[in-house]
Amino acid sequence: RNNENPVGTFALFQVGQKNIPKVIFRGPITFPGGASYDEFVVTITGGEMILQENGDIHIAIDYKAAADGNEVSGTNSQNGTYEIDGNQISIWGDQGDGGVEGTYRNGVITLDLDLVGNGELQTYTFRYVP
């Protein structure tokens, strides 16, 4: 994969340099709405990034969250736009909540994201799927 043509689908295969599924948070947490849990666990189970020719992007990251004996599965997804400049990729979300910078080399995209919202960045690595 060369950097001139990044269009295509990229599958999430690592978080924090470990293969998925990967626990990204385990511990007590209190959410902005006031809900509080002594033991909250978030596991990343999959995901993909789709880069389109017109500069649009779709990112979806699948997760499981468990607390107090209950478990839910879901997908955190976002649409936006992207731009490649050398080995850098810049992504802006449609919700106007800023952007994220990452790297793009040889069909591999890495982004540092905080999906739990606790201020701790994790590196998410996506690989091009031919």
Side-chain angles (χ1 to χ4, degrees):
R1 239 16 228 159
N2 64 40
N3 286 6
E4 274 71 66
N5 184 16
V7 173
T9 299
F10 295 75
L12 177 64
F13 76 100
Q14 286 186 334
V15 177
Q17 300 181 338
K18 303 285 184 195
N19 291 341
I20 57 173
K22 166 82 167 66
V23 172
I24 62 166
F25 182 83
R26 177 187 306 272
I29 194 166
T30 300
F31 290 101
S36 181
Y37 301 96
D38 291 331
E39 181 69 9
F40 189 75
V41 180
V42 179
T43 304
I44 299 302
T45 59
E48 69 179 3
M49 183 182 308
I50 301 170
L51 279 62
Q52 298 175 4
E53 194 114 12
N54 64 359
D56 286 347
I57 188 170
H58 173 76
I59 301 173
I61 298 178
D62 304 322
Y63 65 88
K64 283 191 305 191
D68 294 340
N70 297 316
E71 185 175 281
V72 297
S73 296
T75 301
N76 183 341
S77 62
Q78 182 145 2
N79 295 311
T81 57
Y82 74 93
E83 190 175 285
I84 302 277
D85 184 12
N87 287 337
Q88 293 294 116
I89 183 169
S90 301
I91 300 170
W92 299 273
D94 282 350
Q95 281 91 21
D97 52 2
V100 63
E101 301 284 323
T103 62
Y104 174 67
R105 282 187 209 99
N106 302 319
V108 176
I109 295 173
T110 58
L111 303 173
D112 289 333
L113 304 171
D114 174 14
L115 293 187
V116 177
N118 63 347
E120 294 181 18
L121 294 174
Q122 300 260 352
T123 300
Y124 290 74
T125 306
F126 298 80
R127 181 179 289 149
Y128 176 73
V129 180

